């Protein structure tokens, strides 16, 4: 892994091997879980915003959260 990270001459085959390592080690799934947790926390925080906040501003923040949730890895 150390030899691949930052290697500007990394081949597609080496990249594919590195990708398999991350997936088989559970790193991809873990990062997805952490991202989901962060999005859930963002929604909770937005829902706790003071009533003085305009609804359109809260909806804007929620739309950002939804767009992040819709992104693919």
């Amino acid at each position: 892994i150390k030899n691949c990270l930052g290697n500007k001459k990394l081949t597609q085959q080496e990249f594919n091997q590195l990708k398999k390592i991350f997936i088989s080690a559970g790193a991809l799934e873990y990062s997805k879980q952490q991202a989901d947790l962060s999005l859930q926390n963002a929604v909770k925080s937005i829902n706790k915003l003071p009533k003085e906040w305009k609804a359109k501003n809260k909806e804007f923040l929620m739309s950002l959260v939804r767009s992040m949730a819709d992104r693919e890895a």
Side-chain angles (χ1 to χ4, degrees):
I1 293 175
K2 287 182 181 181
N3 292 334
C4 293
L5 296 176
N7 182 355
K8 294 180 182 181
K9 296 180 182 181
L10 189 71
T11 66
Q12 187 63 46
Q13 183 180 2
E14 290 169 325
F15 174 79
N16 289 339
Q17 286 179 306
L18 188 60
K19 185 177 171 181
K20 286 179 184 179
I21 291 169
F22 282 119
I23 292 171
S24 66
L28 182 61
E29 186 60 34
Y30 177 77
S31 65
K32 287 180 181 180
Q33 290 171 354
Q34 291 302 304
D36 287 343
L37 182 60
S38 293
L39 293 174
Q40 290 171 17
N41 287 334
V43 169
K44 288 178 186 177
S45 295
I46 293 168
N47 287 331
K48 290 180 182 178
L49 288 171
K51 293 177 183 176
E52 294 81 22
W53 273 61
K54 293 182 179 179
K56 69 177 185 175
N57 294 339
K58 289 182 182 181
E59 182 51 40
F60 170 74
L61 294 175
M62 285 295 203
S63 70
L64 290 177
V65 171
R66 282 192 298 275
S67 69
M68 293 301 296
D70 293 340
R71 291 182 69 191
E72 292 186 28

